[in-house]
Amino acid sequence: MAQSGLHTYIAFSLKNKIGSKPWFFYSFLLGSILPDIDIILSFLLKIKSLFQLDNFNENIYYLNSNYWFNYNLSIFHSVITLSLIYLSLLVYYEIKRSKYILNIANGLLLGILLHIIVDIFFFLRPVQILWPLNLINIQPLNIWKQFNIPYFFITLHLSLEFLFFRLLSLQLIEILINNKGKGEVHLKTLTHIMKVEGIIFIIYLIVLQFSNYKTLYFISYGFFYSLSLLIIIYLIYKTRININNFALSLENRNESERSSNVKKSTIDNIG
């Protein structure tokens, strides 16, 4: 199941514990959401398969709801792909010898790795962590295959994604307001996204439970989820300077607090 909003929410929750080197947190945040491009690719392949069917009634497999809420996590959820991306950035760092490239490489590595680990435990479906070795019958990792997950829990899980997208938009708004950069022009867009994501969350929370047209609504879910994900990735990129300044300001505040505590302790000892 899709969890992009949850991944970025976790990334923000860890912002005070992962360090604040230039561009590290931004890359960590971006890495925490990028692997879900797999979901968009999987959805598009499903749509392509649907339109290629000659007779829908004889190919009911492509029209049941179970098919539509199972996404294929492969290319960008693979530790092989992650290794290639990281090694490529390290080679680029050796050429340019610029410290920020190394920070970006490490941030992306940890962000994508965190994403893969969270999906292994909470995606509730197989994760092809060794893609493309699945082409030679290496099976995906699936710790949930022995469990029969209730339909209500699946639909609740899916619907909550839009709520997490709303929370992420709120976090980005706060960053744009309080930190310098070039992303302030997107404040109005993020405000609209907050409203829309909240409405979509309520709609799918109700519709997926009670509708008799589950296949149609799962297809529409895939469309709105993919659109939301693309918009969020775009806005994270456009607000990158603000996000980087936000991370650096956190480090400065932490250093000021530590210095203040040291001074207070010295005075207390004298007394």
Side-chain angles (χ1 to χ4, degrees):
M1 273 164 277
Q3 295 177 323
S4 303
L6 176 60
H7 287 300
T8 51
Y9 185 79
I10 292 174
F12 272 110
S13 300
L14 295 174
K15 61 183 180 294
N16 290 319
K17 300 179 181 180
I18 61 172
S20 301
K21 297 179 181 179
W23 297 105
F24 179 85
F25 175 74
Y26 169 76
S27 302
F28 176 74
L29 177 65
L30 188 62
S32 73
I33 194 173
L34 274 182
D36 278 340
I37 293 175
D38 278 339
I39 294 173
I40 299 176
L41 297 177
S42 178
F43 175 72
L44 292 176
L45 287 174
K46 291 175 187 291
I47 294 295
K48 179 183 177 182
S49 299
L50 180 63
F51 282 105
Q52 287 178 339
L53 295 178
D54 295 325
N55 188 326
F56 285 177
N57 293 327
E58 292 179 3
N59 295 277
I60 195 67
Y61 169 72
Y62 287 96
L63 298 176
N64 66 73
S65 59
N66 183 66
Y67 175 78
W68 286 100
F69 66 67
N70 280 289
Y71 300 102
N72 183 24
L73 302 189
S74 54
I75 301 174
F76 295 101
H77 284 76
S78 169
V79 293
I80 296 176
T81 304
L82 173 59
S83 299
L84 291 175
I85 293 173
Y86 187 63
L87 288 175
S88 298
L89 288 170
L90 289 183
V91 170
Y92 187 57
Y93 165 71
E94 289 297 327
I95 296 172
K96 293 293 185 179
R97 284 293 175 177
S98 181
K99 190 67 174 180
Y100 83 90
I101 297 175
L102 188 59
N103 293 339
I104 290 174
N106 291 333
L108 283 174
L109 174 69
L110 291 179
I112 295 175
L113 189 61
L114 173 66
H115 184 115
I116 293 173
I117 293 172
V118 171
D119 275 351
I120 289 173
F121 289 98
F122 297 104
F123 182 69
L124 311 182
R125 291 294 185 274
V127 181
Q128 295 182 19
I129 62 171
L130 294 177
W131 180 94
L133 297 185
N134 59 296
L135 299 177
I136 56 174
N137 294 322
I138 301 296
Q139 296 300 310
L141 182 60
N142 184 10
I143 66 174
W144 295 93
K145 60 183 177 181
Q146 303 297 330
F147 298 91
N148 183 21
I149 304 169
Y151 179 78
F152 169 78
F153 184 77
I154 291 173
T155 55
L156 176 63
H157 198 284
L158 290 171
S159 301
L160 282 172
E161 270 307 292
F162 295 108
L163 183 60
F164 280 115
F165 278 134
R166 175 183 168 87
L167 292 174
L168 174 57
S169 299
L170 176 61
Q171 182 71 65
L172 289 176
I173 288 174
E174 293 177 353
I175 289 175
L176 294 183
I177 292 174
N178 297 316
N179 298 274
K180 294 181 179 180
K182 299 180 180 179
E184 290 82 357
V185 295
H186 301 290
L187 278 171
K188 184 177 292 186
T189 301
L190 284 165
T191 302
H192 291 320
I193 289 175
M194 275 190 60
K195 295 177 182 178
V196 171
E197 296 292 346
I199 294 171
I200 295 177
F201 162 68
I202 295 173
I203 290 175
Y204 279 103
L205 186 62
I206 298 172
V207 164
L208 292 180
Q209 293 298 326
F210 302 107
S211 173
N212 293 323
Y213 303 99
K214 291 185 173 64
T215 296
L216 174 62
Y217 285 114
F218 274 118
I219 294 175
S220 67
Y221 173 91
F223 171 78
F224 284 113
Y225 175 83
S226 299
L227 182 61
S228 297
L229 178 58
L230 286 174
I231 291 174
I232 286 297
I233 291 176
Y234 171 77
L235 289 173
I236 287 176
Y237 170 74
K238 296 297 288 186
T239 59
R240 60 191 182 279
I241 296 177
N242 300 78
I243 295 173
N244 184 55
N245 289 336
F246 161 74
L248 295 177
S249 67
L250 282 178
E251 181 64 21
N252 292 334
R253 285 198 294 269
N254 290 337
E255 288 182 359
S256 297
E257 290 177 0
R258 286 194 292 267
S259 299
S260 176
N261 290 335
V262 169
K263 291 179 180 178
K264 288 180 179 180
S265 298
T266 303
I267 294 174
D268 289 340
N269 291 334
I270 293 175

